[in-house]
Amino acid sequence: MPFSFAKKEREVIEKLIQLSRKTIEATMALKDFFTCYFSPECERQREAFLLIKTIEHEADEIRRFIISESYKGLFLPDMREVIHSLSESIDKIINKCESVSKIIDYQQPNVPENIKDKILSQLECAVNASKSFYKSVEELFNDIDKVNAYILEVEKYEHDEDMIEEVALKEIFSLDLQLAEKMQLKELIINIGDIVDRTEDASDILEVLLLKLAY
């Protein structure tokens, strides 16, 4: 690492990188869950749902470690606060993945065929944004000059998802469905979009940490 950290601080940093990796696991598991839900012959739906819950639980354990250890006098106070905020922000991404999976598991909504592809495209943006975010966290403590490029990638995927979301919402309200069904689909689309929004939020906090390390 290009920066000098004490042994315990390095342990927290490794956990922060590990926590960011969980965003990839969660978004990929969520996409797999939706793919299975959209395929009547798929028999892994319950397994995929439980995997998301497991990832969320593992992320909670990592986040607790980061907060507990960082408040034992590790890092400078201002950096400690940003690490705390970043870990909480990452956790919100994974929590949102779990809450979206619950919408499907509990409500079992009927999703029209022409909306399914758009949802999977949204989820692909979520997966790609999480991969870029993970790389930005990893490179922050490895090669700081590469971080901005990955942050810009997160912003690009957030913009791409916004475009897909807008088209999907317009299409939903043009369908011949009951208003209640339209509102149910609308909430599903918006909640999936929130995953990418939260990834961008975490990326914004990472930028603050980047400035503290760079200067």
Side-chain angles (χ1 to χ4, degrees), residues 13 15-27 59 66 82-94 124-141 143 146-158 195-210:
I13 288 167
K15 287 294 184 179
L16 188 62
I17 294 170
Q18 187 179 342
L19 181 61
S20 68
R21 174 74 190 179
K22 289 294 175 184
T23 66
I24 301 177
E25 294 178 21
T27 52
I66 291 169
V82 179
I83 288 174
H84 183 187
S85 296
L86 182 58
S87 63
E88 292 284 357
S89 190
I90 295 170
D91 193 54
K92 287 179 182 179
I93 300 167
I94 300 163
E124 185 65 21
C125 286
V127 171
N128 289 332
S130 67
K131 287 179 178 178
S132 295
F133 174 71
Y134 166 72
K135 290 299 295 182
S136 70
V137 176
E138 187 178 48
E139 294 295 356
L140 183 66
F141 303 102
D143 188 347
K146 294 181 179 179
V147 176
N148 274 325
Y150 290 115
I151 289 174
L152 289 174
E153 285 183 6
V154 174
E155 293 176 1
K156 174 190 176 298
Y157 292 124
E158 191 276 337
I195 297 170
V196 191
D197 291 340
R198 291 186 181 196
T199 306
E200 187 181 35
D201 290 343
S203 184
D204 289 342
I205 296 172
L206 184 70
E207 280 192 279
V208 176
L209 187 54
L210 173 64

Side-chain angles (χ1 to χ4, degrees), residues 62-112:
I62 298 170
R63 178 184 57 82
R64 291 191 192 100
F65 176 89
I66 291 169
I67 294 172
S68 173
E69 291 299 313
S70 62
Y71 277 104
K72 291 178 180 178
L74 302 180
F75 306 104
L76 295 172
D78 58 342
M79 185 173 174
R80 186 187 311 144
E81 289 297 328
V82 179
I83 288 174
H84 183 187
S85 296
L86 182 58
S87 63
E88 292 284 357
S89 190
I90 295 170
D91 193 54
K92 287 179 182 179
I93 300 167
I94 300 163
N95 288 345
K96 178 56 73 170
C97 288
E98 185 189 28
S99 68
V100 169
S101 72
K102 287 179 178 178
I103 292 174
I104 295 297
D105 189 68
Y106 298 170
Q107 299 180 20
Q108 298 285 305
N110 178 31
V111 181

